[in-house]
Amino acid sequence: MAIDPREKIVLFIDGANLYATAKAIGTDIDYRRLLAEFQGKAYLLRAYYYTALVEDQEYSSIRPLIDWLDYNGFSVITKPAKEFTDSAGRRKIKGNMDIEMTVDALEMAPYFDHLVLFSGNGDFTALVAALQRKGKRVTVASTLTTPTPMIADDLRRQADFFLEVATLAKTVGRTHAVDRPAPTTEDQD
C-alpha cells in the first residue's frame, strides 16, 4: 500500500460492502486492528463507517458493532433502510449509502491528502475521479480473490492504488469460527 507517512488520510467504509467482501474471503474484520493499521501508516484524520439500519426490528444483529465502532474512534453514519416487496412477493431491504459517502468525501476533500475507500461498488468511480481532479490520492480496498471479483473493474482502474482486502486481512482479520459465541458486553470494551 502506497501511503506516505506525511499524508493526512481518511477511511470511508461502506459497511455492507466490506462485510460482504470479508464474508466472501472467509474472514471477519477486527476494527480495532484496522484503525491501528492505518494510524501506524500516516496521520489518520477520521474513519467513517456507513450503514443502513432496519429501524422496526426489536434487535438488529449489527447494532452491537455500530455501538462499538461509535465508542472506539469511528464516525458512524446510519440511515433507515427501506423495506419493500418485489414483484415476486419477496420482502427486500434497500439501504444504499452511496450518496452520503460521496457528499461527505467531497466536503472533507480540503482536509485530507489520501482517501481509503472500502468498497468495490462501481458507482464510486465518478467520486474517485472527482477527488483526483482535486489533487487527492485514492486507494480502493476490495478483493479480486473471489471467483467473482467484489470490485468493479472501472473503479479499480480509476483508483490510484488497489488494496487487496485478503492481504489486509492477514493483519486485521479474524478467520470465521463456526462455534464462536456471539459477542457479549464484556467483549465490547
Side-chain angles (χ1 to χ4, degrees):
M1 180 171 26
I3 293 180
D4 184 322
R6 298 168 296 180
E7 288 182 313
K8 291 183 253 175
I9 61 172
V10 292
L11 307 182
F12 272 64
I13 301 169
D14 178 343
N17 196 284
L18 181 57
Y19 174 80
T21 299
K23 186 175 177 184
I25 61 174
T27 193
D28 288 324
I29 301 298
D30 182 324
Y31 288 97
R32 183 185 316 268
R33 290 196 298 201
L34 181 71
L35 261 188
E37 175 79 14
F38 286 93
Q39 287 168 333
K41 293 194 179 308
Y43 182 76
L44 180 62
L45 285 175
R46 186 99 52 242
Y48 293 97
Y49 185 94
Y50 293 81
T51 192
L53 298 172
V54 178
E55 302 249 326
D56 66 344
Q57 290 180 338
E58 214 169 286
Y59 172 78
S60 171
S61 60
I62 197 170
R63 180 50 69 187
L65 172 64
I66 297 303
D67 291 342
W68 187 92
L69 292 170
D70 205 23
Y71 282 106
N72 288 279
F74 287 82
S75 295
V76 177
I77 296 89
T78 63
K79 76 174 184 183
K82 305 263 192 270
E83 283 189 66
F84 64 96
T85 305
D86 70 8
S87 59
R90 294 179 297 233
R91 181 175 163 246
K92 297 278 188 175
I93 297 173
K94 183 176 174 147
N96 187 316
M97 297 293 289
D98 297 2
I99 298 297
E100 291 82 357
M101 291 177 70
T102 298
V103 169
D104 290 352
L106 291 171
E107 284 182 346
M108 280 288 298
Y111 308 106
F112 66 81
D113 303 306
H114 196 141
L115 179 133
V116 181
L117 175 64
F118 285 84
S119 181
N121 186 336
D123 291 343
F124 289 118
T125 304
L127 168 63
V128 172
L131 290 171
Q132 289 167 331
R133 287 191 301 273
K134 293 178 177 291
K136 308 304 174 182
R137 295 180 351 136
V138 181
T139 295
V140 173
S142 189
T143 190
L144 290 167
T145 64
T146 52
T148 303
M150 300 287 289
I151 183 166
D153 193 53
D154 288 349
L155 179 61
R156 185 177 57 83
R157 289 173 189 262
Q158 184 66 53
D160 296 298
F161 307 100
F162 172 71
L163 174 59
E164 175 58 62
V165 173
T167 303
L168 181 65
K170 293 174 183 169
T171 55
V172 304
R174 297 183 296 247
T175 55
H176 286 292
V178 176
D179 298 328
R180 187 175 71 217
T184 63
T185 51
E186 293 84 42
D187 296 330
Q188 305 281 322
D189 44 284

